[in-house]
Amino acid sequence: MSRASKLTLFGTSCMAAAIVVGVHYSQRAEKAAMHAGVVRDIEQQRVKKERQADFEMQKALEKEYKKIQQVHDTVPPVADGAGAGGNVA
């Protein structure tokens, strides 16, 4: 084999090895990114369940407090007119 053919063979072999290593690295990076997405989704589901549980607890407390207390939706107006922050002159 001539020197040029040996260099060509060596060069193409090195290039092929570099491509294989690059593809493996790319696959590992993709797999890590996908795993991070799964972990993020699990965390979001946990937070959502926690918030839902808090909401249900607040709803139950509100229902219990409404049984105990008399609640009005509107605020009655002030009779003397001075309740809005001072005297009107």
Side-chain angles (χ1 to χ4, degrees):
M1 276 186 14
S2 69
R3 184 174 182 175
S5 62
K6 287 179 184 178
L7 287 175
T8 302
L9 178 63
F10 178 73
T12 55
S13 297
C14 287
M15 210 47 146
I19 289 172
V20 168
V21 169
V23 167
H24 281 295
Y25 175 76
S26 174
Q27 286 177 342
R28 285 189 182 187
E30 239 178 57
K31 185 177 178 182
M34 288 172 56
H35 180 69
V38 170
V39 170
R40 186 177 59 245
D41 288 346
I42 291 171
E43 178 65 19
Q44 286 176 347
Q45 289 175 354
R46 183 192 65 78
V47 168
K48 184 177 179 181
K49 286 179 184 178
E50 188 177 294
R51 288 180 180 163
Q52 184 65 32
D54 287 344
F55 175 74
E56 295 296 330
M57 183 177 69
Q58 289 295 324
K59 195 173 180 181
L61 284 173
E62 180 184 7
K63 188 175 182 181
E64 182 180 326
Y65 290 152
K66 282 186 177 182
K67 283 183 195 175
I68 296 170
Q69 300 173 358
Q70 190 176 28
V71 178
H72 299 287
D73 288 335
T74 59
V75 178
V78 178
D80 64 354
N87 295 333
V88 178

